Structure formats: C-alpha cells, structure tokens
Amino acid sequence: MINISRPNLGDEEKNAVSKVIDSGMIACGEVVKEFENTFAKFAGASFGIATTSGTTALEVAIRAAGLGEGDKILTTPYSFIASSNAIMYTGARPVFADIEEGSFNISPEHIESKLKQTPGIKALLIVHLFGNPCDMDKIMTIVKKYKLILIEDCAQAHGTTWKGKPAGSFGAVSAFSFYPTKNMTTGEGGIVLTSDSEIAQRARMLINHGMQVRYYHDIIGYNYRMTNIAAAIGLCQLKKLNDMNGKRIRNAKFYYENLKNSALILPTHTDGHVYHQFTVKVEDGMRENFTKFLEENKIGYGIFYPLSIPEQKCYSAMSFETSYQVTDSVKNKVVSIPVHPLLTLEELNEVACVINRYKK
Ligand SMILES: *Cc1c(COP(=O)(O)O)cnc(C)c1O
C-alpha cells in the first residue's frame, strides 16, 4: 500500500522529546517560546503564539483581530470545515464566495461580487488550499479597497510563498496547523502569527485564560497552550521543512512529467506551491470508478473534500446559500494522490504507471 500521507519522524524528534522529559518541564515553557520565535521568523511575522491545534489557532486569530459576535467574515466554501467553524465559535458568521476551478482557492472575482452584494463584511479569511498560494496581488488590492481585515488559514501552507513572500505574512493575522498529515507536525498543535503587537498580546491572553499577571484574569480566555513536548518536535520538523517541501515539489514535478492519461486533469502549477496535496480531477460520475481502481492497485488517495462547507449537515439549520457553481462541480471530481516526502522513486513510478493504465 502506498499511503496518502506519512509523518516523517525520527531520532531527532525522539531525542528532543527525551530531553524535554528529562528536564521535567513538559508543559508550556522555554521550548515553546523558542519554537514560536523560530517559526514566526521563518514565516515572516514578528510574533508567534503557539496553540493546541490549527483550529484553536484560527479561533484565537479571529478573536484577537477584534472580530466576534455578529461580524460577517467572507471565506471559501471549499476547505476543511475548521476554517469556517473557527468563525462560528467566535459568534461571527461566514459568508461564502466561490472558488477558482484551477487553483481550488477562493476567487478574487467572486470575493468582489459578494462584497458588493452583502453590506457590512468586515474581514476576509482565505485558505491557501493544498499548499497553493492564493493570488495575493488581487487579494491585497481588494483588502485595501474594501478595508478588510485579512486572516490567512495556512494550515496546509507551511513554506508556501507568493512571489517570494511567505504565506502567513500578508494578513493582519494568520494560523497554521501542525497535525500529523500537514507539511510539518507537532502531533497536534497550531500557531497564530502576526506582526501587530496588539493582536499578538490579545492572542497571548486568549490562549492563557486571559492572564498577563498570574491569576489575574482580564478577559475570559482558554487553555490553548502548546506543550514543550510538542514544541520540541516542531523545532526538529521546522529544520527539515525546506527539504520535505522540496521533495513534495519534486514529486509533483514527477507527476507533471509522467502522468499521461486523458481521463485526468492535473492541478495547475503556481510558483510557491508546496503540494500539501496533489489533487487531480476526473470526469463527473467517474470518481468512484477511479478510486476503486486505485484501491485495487493499493494506491492510497483522499477526497478533499466531498461536500462544500455550507452543505454540511451541521450547517443545515443556518440557511446558508448552498449552491456554488465551481465548488459544486469540483467537489465531485477531485482525488488527491500521494505526494508526501517519504515516497521513493519506485513508489512514484508505481503510482504513475498504475494511473496511466486506468481506463474509464
Ligand atoms: C487541518 C486544517 C485546519 C485545522 O487544523 P487542526 O490542527 O486539525 O485543528 C484548519 N484549516 C485547514 C484548511 C486545515 O487543513
């Protein structure tokens, strides 16, 4: 079986975790601080606030940016549900704008028409889906024109760049996830990044029960603190990230050169894409046939995502508009194939040969 993802953990991580355990300081401490500073620097932000997950990082990012009850936040209907759930937790409400067929990312044209249709939208939450950067030239123009607060969901975009500038450095605030399937992991974990000292301070308070002085709680916060154990893994992973992303890009390049099957549409390549996923499209109605073929040939795959967010059952009571032309077409065609850094050349070859043999 060639798996769709596999965390790349080894002796470095084991030793780093051992060191933390031996130190006796396993909860949030100096190692977390070092990880926050190192990761923030890597992604071009002044401040990093590490959290328990990408989801909690997003929630804190939204709250720390001053958004909450009753605010409207424009976002994509085509993502992992956390990007929208994080909005819901704060009492704000998502407004969805359709995506682009080629990049799978929220469409600047649809953003602008939604802004014109819907008065009072305060913020825009973008997702660099599958590691592919959103068109930040167009997005930043809209953000300035409509004076929006920009939040970046970089849960799939560690190391993603747009014209050389890192994802996570464009918005007022951004959030990353370190779940094991992502481009780097801490087990579970996340981080909020910002270069705004006030947002950073609010985020810091939110993740630590609203405290600046111990046992003096200025606001109702949470315990969303990362542990030193997780941070120690994160520091090792961050050292390997460039190399791991390089392998993902190499693997994607292999597919662009070697996948030759007219039943498949390959993803569009953008510079700065780090291929969290390599997502192909098959003809509408043929997906089950294709995935069955992959299963028979022991090739792992993922369907990211089978439903749009607004049509999920948990959103059904909230009367969101549920039809989005591009999203609805794409969601029935996508299949992500293994592109992770631990794939060997033999495995890549095997995936390509199997897929090239597929006949609809
Ligand atoms: C993984 C992911 C999240 C949530 O991260 P967790 O660490 O799993 O909580 C949020 N948004 C997107 C786009 C993701 O892929």
Side-chain angles (χ1 to χ4, degrees), residues 23-78:
S23 78
M25 312 285 277
I26 58 174
C28 184
E30 288 306 311
V31 189
V32 172
K33 205 179 279 174
E34 188 187 342
F35 179 60
E36 289 174 334
N37 292 335
T38 320
F39 193 86
K41 199 164 167 196
F42 159 78
S46 308
F47 307 100
I49 301 94
T51 67
T52 49
S53 72
T55 307
T56 54
L58 264 176
E59 179 190 4
V60 166
I62 295 164
R63 278 194 199 281
L67 297 157
E69 206 58 47
D71 291 331
K72 289 180 199 158
I73 304 179
L74 196 56
T75 192
T76 172
Y78 188 65

Coordinates of all heavy atoms in Angstrom, one line a residue, residues 23-78:
S23 N 14.1 17.1 31.4 CA 14.2 18.4 32.0 C 13.1 18.6 33.1 O 13.2 19.5 33.9 CB 14.0 19.5 30.9 OG 12.6 19.7 30.6
G24 N 12.1 17.8 33.0 CA 11.0 18.0 34.0 C 10.0 19.1 33.6 O 8.9 19.2 34.3
M25 N 10.3 19.8 32.6 CA 9.4 20.9 32.2 C 8.7 20.5 30.9 O 9.1 20.9 29.8 CB 10.2 22.2 31.9 CG 11.2 22.5 33.0 SD 10.4 23.2 34.5 CE 10.3 24.9 33.9
I26 N 7.6 19.8 31.1 CA 7.0 19.2 29.9 C 5.8 20.1 29.4 O 5.5 20.0 28.2 CB 6.4 17.8 30.2 CG1 5.4 17.8 31.3 CG2 7.6 16.8 30.4 CD1 4.8 16.4 31.5
A27 N 5.3 21.0 30.2 CA 4.1 21.8 29.7 C 4.7 23.0 28.9 O 5.8 22.9 28.3 CB 3.3 22.2 30.9
C28 N 4.0 24.1 28.9 CA 4.4 25.3 28.1 C 5.5 26.0 28.8 O 5.4 26.5 29.9 CB 3.2 26.2 27.9 SG 3.5 27.6 26.8
G29 N 6.7 26.1 28.1 CA 7.8 26.8 28.7 C 8.8 27.3 27.6 O 8.4 27.7 26.5
E30 N 10.0 27.2 27.9 CA 11.1 27.8 27.1 C 11.1 27.2 25.7 O 11.4 27.9 24.7 CB 12.5 27.6 27.8 CG 12.7 28.6 29.0 CD 12.4 30.0 28.6 OE1 12.9 30.5 27.6 OE2 11.7 30.7 29.4
V31 N 10.9 25.9 25.6 CA 10.9 25.2 24.3 C 9.8 25.8 23.4 O 10.0 26.0 22.2 CB 10.8 23.7 24.4 CG1 11.1 23.1 23.0 CG2 11.8 23.2 25.5
V32 N 8.7 26.0 23.9 CA 7.5 26.6 23.2 C 8.0 28.0 22.7 O 7.8 28.4 21.5 CB 6.2 26.7 24.0 CG1 5.2 27.5 23.3 CG2 5.7 25.3 24.3
K33 N 8.6 28.8 23.6 CA 9.0 30.1 23.2 C 10.0 30.1 22.1 O 9.8 30.9 21.1 CB 9.6 30.8 24.5 CG 9.6 32.3 24.4 CD 10.2 33.0 25.6 CE 9.3 33.0 26.8 NZ 10.0 33.5 28.1
E34 N 10.9 29.2 22.1 CA 11.9 29.1 21.0 C 11.2 28.7 19.7 O 11.5 29.2 18.7 CB 13.0 28.0 21.4 CG 14.1 28.0 20.4 CD 15.1 26.9 20.6 OE1 15.1 26.3 21.7 OE2 15.9 26.6 19.7
F35 N 10.3 27.7 19.8 CA 9.5 27.3 18.6 C 8.7 28.5 18.0 O 8.7 28.7 16.8 CB 8.6 26.2 18.9 CG 7.8 25.7 17.8 CD1 8.4 25.2 16.6 CD2 6.4 25.7 17.8 CE1 7.7 24.8 15.5 CE2 5.6 25.3 16.7 CZ 6.3 24.9 15.5
E36 N 8.1 29.2 18.9 CA 7.3 30.4 18.4 C 8.1 31.4 17.7 O 7.8 31.9 16.6 CB 6.6 31.1 19.6 CG 5.5 30.3 20.3 CD 4.9 30.9 21.5 OE1 5.7 31.7 22.2 OE2 3.8 30.6 21.9
N37 N 9.3 31.7 18.3 CA 10.2 32.7 17.7 C 10.7 32.2 16.3 O 10.8 32.9 15.4 CB 11.3 33.1 18.6 CG 10.8 33.8 19.8 OD1 9.7 34.5 19.7 ND2 11.5 33.8 20.9
T38 N 11.1 30.9 16.3 CA 11.7 30.4 15.1 C 10.7 30.3 14.0 O 11.0 30.6 12.9 CB 12.3 29.0 15.4 OG1 13.0 29.0 16.7 CG2 13.4 28.6 14.4
F39 N 9.5 29.8 14.4 CA 8.5 29.7 13.3 C 8.0 31.0 12.8 O 7.9 31.2 11.6 CB 7.3 28.8 13.8 CG 6.4 28.4 12.7 CD1 6.7 27.2 12.0 CD2 5.3 29.2 12.3 CE1 5.9 26.8 10.9 CE2 4.6 28.8 11.2 CZ 4.9 27.6 10.5
A40 N 7.9 32.0 13.7 CA 7.4 33.3 13.2 C 8.4 33.9 12.3 O 8.1 34.4 11.2 CB 7.2 34.2 14.5
K41 N 9.7 33.8 12.6 CA 10.8 34.3 11.8 C 10.7 33.6 10.4 O 10.8 34.3 9.4 CB 12.1 34.1 12.5 CG 13.2 34.9 11.9 CD 14.4 34.9 12.9 CE 15.6 35.6 12.2 NZ 16.8 35.2 13.0
F42 N 10.6 32.3 10.4 CA 10.5 31.5 9.2 C 9.4 32.0 8.3 O 9.6 32.1 7.0 CB 10.3 30.1 9.5 CG 9.8 29.2 8.4 CD1 10.6 28.8 7.3 CD2 8.4 28.9 8.4 CE1 10.1 28.1 6.3 CE2 7.9 28.2 7.3 CZ 8.7 27.8 6.3
A43 N 8.3 32.4 8.8 CA 7.1 32.8 8.0 C 6.9 34.3 7.9 O 5.9 34.8 7.5 CB 5.8 32.1 8.5
G44 N 8.0 35.0 8.3 CA 8.0 36.5 8.0 C 7.0 37.3 8.9 O 6.5 38.3 8.5
A45 N 6.8 36.8 10.2 CA 6.0 37.6 11.1 C 6.8 37.9 12.3 O 7.8 37.3 12.7 CB 4.8 36.7 11.5
S46 N 6.4 38.9 13.1 CA 7.1 39.4 14.2 C 6.8 38.5 15.5 O 7.6 38.4 16.4 CB 6.8 40.8 14.6 OG 7.0 41.6 13.4
F47 N 5.5 38.0 15.6 CA 5.1 37.3 16.8 C 4.5 36.0 16.4 O 3.7 35.9 15.5 CB 4.1 38.2 17.5 CG 4.5 39.6 17.8 CD1 4.1 40.6 17.0 CD2 5.4 39.9 18.9 CE1 4.5 41.9 17.3 CE2 5.8 41.2 19.1 CZ 5.4 42.2 18.3
G48 N 4.8 35.0 17.3 CA 4.1 33.7 17.1 C 3.6 33.3 18.5 O 4.2 33.5 19.5
I49 N 2.3 32.8 18.5 CA 1.7 32.3 19.7 C 1.2 30.9 19.4 O 0.3 30.6 18.7 CB 0.4 33.2 20.0 CG1 0.9 34.7 20.2 CG2 -0.2 32.7 21.3 CD1 0.8 35.5 19.0
A50 N 1.9 29.9 20.0 CA 1.7 28.5 19.7 C 0.4 28.0 20.5 O 0.2 28.5 21.6 CB 2.9 27.7 20.1
T51 N -0.3 27.1 19.8 CA -1.6 26.7 20.4 C -1.7 25.1 20.3 O -0.8 24.5 19.9 CB -2.8 27.3 19.6 OG1 -2.8 26.7 18.3 CG2 -2.7 28.8 19.6
T52 N -2.9 24.7 20.7 CA -3.1 23.2 20.8 C -3.5 22.6 19.4 O -3.4 21.4 19.3 CB -4.3 22.9 21.8 OG1 -5.3 23.8 21.4 CG2 -3.8 23.2 23.2
S53 N -3.9 23.4 18.5 CA -4.3 22.9 17.2 C -4.4 24.0 16.2 O -4.4 25.2 16.6 CB -5.6 22.1 17.3 OG -6.7 23.1 17.4
G54 N -4.5 23.7 14.9 CA -4.8 24.7 13.9 C -6.2 25.3 14.1 O -6.3 26.5 13.9
T55 N -7.1 24.5 14.6 CA -8.5 25.1 14.8 C -8.5 26.1 15.9 O -9.0 27.2 15.7 CB -9.4 23.9 15.2 OG1 -9.3 22.9 14.2 CG2 -10.8 24.4 15.3
T56 N -7.8 25.8 17.0 CA -7.8 26.8 18.1 C -6.9 28.0 17.7 O -7.3 29.1 18.0 CB -7.2 26.2 19.4 OG1 -5.9 25.6 19.2 CG2 -8.2 25.1 20.0
A57 N -5.9 27.8 16.9 CA -5.1 29.0 16.4 C -6.0 29.9 15.5 O -5.9 31.1 15.7 CB -3.9 28.5 15.6
L58 N -6.8 29.3 14.7 CA -7.7 30.1 13.9 C -8.7 30.9 14.7 O -9.0 32.1 14.5 CB -8.5 29.2 12.9 CG -8.0 29.0 11.5 CD1 -8.8 28.0 10.8 CD2 -7.9 30.3 10.7
E59 N -9.3 30.2 15.7 CA -10.3 30.8 16.5 C -9.7 32.0 17.2 O -10.2 33.1 17.3 CB -10.9 29.8 17.5 CG -11.9 30.5 18.5 CD -12.3 29.6 19.6 OE1 -11.7 28.5 19.8 OE2 -13.2 30.0 20.4
V60 N -8.5 31.8 17.8 CA -7.8 32.9 18.5 C -7.4 34.0 17.5 O -7.5 35.2 17.9 CB -6.6 32.3 19.2 CG1 -5.6 33.4 19.7 CG2 -7.0 31.4 20.4
A61 N -7.0 33.6 16.4 CA -6.6 34.6 15.4 C -7.8 35.6 15.1 O -7.6 36.8 15.0 CB -6.1 34.0 14.1
I62 N -9.0 35.0 14.9 CA -10.2 35.8 14.6 C -10.5 36.7 15.7 O -10.8 37.9 15.6 CB -11.3 34.8 14.2 CG1 -11.0 34.1 12.9 CG2 -12.6 35.6 14.0 CD1 -11.9 32.8 12.6
R63 N -10.5 36.1 16.9 CA -10.9 36.9 18.1 C -9.8 38.0 18.4 O -10.2 39.1 18.7 CB -10.9 36.0 19.4 CG -12.2 35.3 19.5 CD -12.3 34.8 21.0 NE -13.3 33.7 21.1 CZ -14.6 33.9 21.2 NH1 -15.1 35.1 21.2 NH2 -15.4 32.9 21.3
A64 N -8.6 37.6 18.2 CA -7.5 38.6 18.5 C -7.5 39.8 17.5 O -7.1 40.9 17.8 CB -6.1 37.9 18.5
A65 N -8.0 39.5 16.3 CA -8.2 40.6 15.3 C -9.4 41.5 15.6 O -9.6 42.4 14.9 CB -8.3 40.0 13.9
G66 N -10.1 41.2 16.7 CA -11.2 42.1 17.1 C -12.5 41.7 16.6 O -13.5 42.4 16.6
L67 N -12.6 40.5 16.0 CA -13.8 40.1 15.4 C -14.6 39.1 16.3 O -14.0 38.5 17.1 CB -13.5 39.3 14.0 CG -12.9 40.2 13.0 CD1 -12.1 39.4 12.0 CD2 -13.9 41.1 12.3
G68 N -15.9 39.2 16.2 CA -16.7 38.3 17.0 C -18.2 38.5 16.7 O -18.6 38.7 15.6
E69 N -19.0 38.3 17.8 CA -20.5 38.3 17.7 C -21.1 39.2 16.6 O -20.9 40.4 16.6 CB -21.0 38.8 19.1 CG -22.4 38.3 19.4 CD -22.5 36.8 19.4 OE1 -21.7 36.1 20.0 OE2 -23.5 36.3 18.8
G70 N -21.7 38.6 15.7 CA -22.5 39.4 14.7 C -21.6 39.8 13.5 O -22.2 40.3 12.5
D71 N -20.3 39.7 13.5 CA -19.5 40.2 12.4 C -19.6 39.2 11.2 O -19.7 38.0 11.4 CB -18.0 40.3 12.8 CG -17.8 41.5 13.8 OD1 -18.6 42.4 13.7 OD2 -16.9 41.4 14.6
K72 N -19.5 39.8 10.0 CA -19.6 38.9 8.8 C -18.1 38.7 8.3 O -17.4 39.7 8.1 CB -20.4 39.5 7.7 CG -21.9 39.5 8.1 CD -22.7 40.2 6.9 CE -24.1 40.6 7.4 NZ -24.7 41.7 6.6
I73 N -17.8 37.5 8.0 CA -16.4 37.2 7.5 C -16.6 36.4 6.2 O -17.2 35.3 6.2 CB -15.6 36.4 8.6 CG1 -15.5 37.2 9.9 CG2 -14.2 36.1 8.0 CD1 -14.7 36.5 11.0
L74 N -16.0 37.0 5.2 CA -16.1 36.3 3.9 C -15.0 35.2 3.8 O -13.9 35.4 4.2 CB -15.8 37.4 2.8 CG -16.1 37.0 1.3 CD1 -17.6 36.7 1.2 CD2 -15.8 38.2 0.4
T75 N -15.4 34.0 3.3 CA -14.5 32.9 3.3 C -14.9 31.9 2.2 O -15.9 32.1 1.5 CB -14.3 32.2 4.6 OG1 -13.2 31.4 4.6 CG2 -15.6 31.4 5.0
T76 N -14.1 30.9 2.1 CA -14.3 29.9 1.0 C -15.2 28.8 1.4 O -15.1 28.3 2.6 CB -12.9 29.3 0.5 OG1 -13.2 28.2 -0.4 CG2 -12.1 28.8 1.7
P77 N -16.1 28.3 0.6 CA -16.9 27.1 0.9 C -16.2 25.8 0.7 O -16.7 24.8 1.1 CB -18.1 27.2 -0.1 CG -17.5 27.9 -1.3 CD -16.4 28.8 -0.8
Y78 N -15.0 25.9 0.1 CA -14.3 24.6 -0.2 C -13.0 24.6 0.6 O -11.9 25.1 0.1 CB -14.0 24.7 -1.7 CG -13.4 23.4 -2.3 CD1 -14.2 22.2 -2.3 CD2 -12.1 23.3 -2.8 CE1 -13.7 21.0 -2.8 CE2 -11.6 22.2 -3.3 CZ -12.4 21.0 -3.3 OH -11.9 19.8 -3.8

